Structure formats: C-alpha cells, structure tokens
Amino acid sequence: MPKKKKKKAKLSPEEQKQRAHITEARSIFKLVGFRRVPRASKTEIKYQGTTSDLDDVFVHENLVVLIEYTTKKDDLSGHLKKKKVLYDKIQNDTGAFIEFLDQQVKGFSDARENFYQPEQMRIAIVYCSLRKIEADLKAEVPGVRYLDYQYLKYFVSLARAIKKSARFEMFDFLGFQHSDVGKNVINTS
C-alpha cells in the first residue's frame, strides 16, 4: 500500500513574497562565491547579554556577512533600532564575535575553515528589506549595509549575468577594501 503524501501547507501571499525575497538574496551571495552557513540560519544567540537571532550567515575566505531579512511594513524603525544594540557589540570587537560564533553556532567554525585568525576576519551586517528604508533611519543606525529592494534587484541581475565577477561589486557594497579580502589581510596585518 503506497504511503500517503503529506500535503504542503499553502503559503499566504505575504509568506510567498517573503520566501521569494529571501531566496533572491541568498542567490546573490551564492552566485558571487559566498558559502551559506545553513545551521546558523534562524539561530537565536545571546551575545554579551543581548539576545537576538541570525537570519543568515555567509562566508567567503575571511569575510562574514550577517543578514537580517525583513518584509515588515509597520514599525521598521523599532525593528532596526532593536537590532542596533547587537550590531554595535559585534562591530566593537569583531574578533571576539568570531570566537563566539566558532563556539556557539554549529557549523560556523567548519564553514570558515579556520585559516584566518579571528582578528583577521571581517564582518559586514546587511539589513535586507523588502520595503524602502528612509535615509534618516539609516543615519540613526550606521555601520549597517542596507540591501533595499532596488539594490537587491540590481545585484540579482548583475550576479546572474556575470556570476563570480560580481563579487568585486559586492565587496564594494559591503564596504570591504581590497586589503580586507582573503590573503591580502595577512599581508597588511
């Protein structure tokens, strides 16, 4: 007797839009050569007394990209400002945060391959919103890269067209200099 197939729950239009948004963002990073740390996705962490979650983590050589996805229409400001507390702690001591991820997030240490010392790692925090984020709100939360919807679409088109060659444009968007990437960081440390 054949097994009954489980019916997939139908997603609401909003959930479909959210899933497509996340899929597009992930495809960009994959196409330009970053590796996703799947076990780190949707992981709740408590770092220096602040509890938050990591929506996605990507690694490329010594670069780590932390991504926060949101499709919220309401209280975008409150959501982002709440995240700012964690973002500030991460940016104040990136080496300590890398050590924390190595110890607390399954699969992170393996994904980064431990070739680079924690202080040689570089972190970019990306806030990937389906909605437009106003310039004054961006100014209140500096140090974060805002992958607004129009930028997301730009990178999707670029990455699909030229694949890994788009990584240099991505590095620039993330705020990384040539000396920050890969073995260059060893020569300049």
Side-chain angles (χ1 to χ4, degrees):
M1 184 184 257
K3 290 183 179 180
K4 281 188 174 181
K5 290 185 178 180
K6 287 185 180 179
K7 286 187 178 182
K8 288 185 179 179
K10 290 210 173 196
L11 299 175
S12 71
E14 187 64 27
E15 290 170 325
Q16 289 174 352
K17 189 182 276 189
Q18 184 177 16
R19 183 174 281 178
H21 177 68
I22 291 169
T23 300
E24 281 188 319
R26 286 177 176 167
S27 74
I28 294 167
F29 287 94
K30 181 181 175 191
L31 286 169
V32 300
F34 282 79
R35 290 181 319 280
R36 184 168 169 257
V37 184
R39 289 176 157 183
S41 298
K42 296 292 180 192
T43 300
E44 186 173 279
I45 61 167
K46 186 170 186 173
Y47 181 66
Q48 295 180 354
T50 301
T51 302
S52 190
D53 66 324
L54 302 174
D55 284 353
D56 244 335
V57 179
F58 287 87
V59 177
H60 175 76
E61 295 186 25
N62 68 316
L63 307 179
V64 176
V65 179
L66 308 174
I67 302 180
E68 174 68 25
Y69 301 109
T70 187
T71 56
K72 286 183 177 230
K73 291 180 185 175
D74 303 324
D75 199 28
L76 192 59
S77 174
H79 181 253
L80 182 55
K81 288 177 183 176
K82 193 167 61 173
K83 296 288 184 175
K84 182 184 185 321
V85 175
L86 177 65
Y87 297 164
D88 288 345
K89 290 177 180 181
I90 292 169
Q91 292 169 337
N92 283 339
D93 191 350
T94 57
F97 187 69
I98 295 297
E99 289 174 1
F100 170 83
L101 291 176
D102 280 343
Q103 296 167 6
Q104 300 296 321
V105 176
K106 291 181 180 177
F108 179 78
S109 181
D110 294 334
R112 79 174 191 90
E113 301 171 356
N114 294 323
F115 179 78
Y116 299 95
Q117 297 300 314
E119 58 276 359
Q120 294 171 323
M121 300 294 290
R122 303 293 183 257
I123 297 176
I125 299 168
V126 176
Y127 196 79
C128 187
S129 176
L130 194 56
R131 314 282 179 232
K132 183 174 180 359
I133 301 171
E134 298 301 324
D136 59 335
L137 179 56
K138 290 178 182 180
E140 288 184 52
V141 187
V144 174
R145 301 299 172 175
Y146 295 94
L147 190 58
D148 294 342
Y149 190 68
Q150 69 269 20
Y151 293 114
L152 176 75
K153 287 300 193 180
Y154 166 74
F155 277 112
V156 166
S157 296
L158 186 68
R160 285 183 180 156
I162 61 175
K163 311 275 188 272
K164 288 188 179 176
S165 295
R167 73 180 174 272
F168 302 108
E169 185 93 8
M170 179 58 74
F171 294 162
D172 185 52
F173 170 77
L174 295 172
F176 296 126
Q177 302 294 318
H178 178 72
S179 59
D180 291 327
V181 181
K183 293 186 178 161
N184 296 321
V185 79
I186 295 171
N187 298 333
T188 60
S189 292

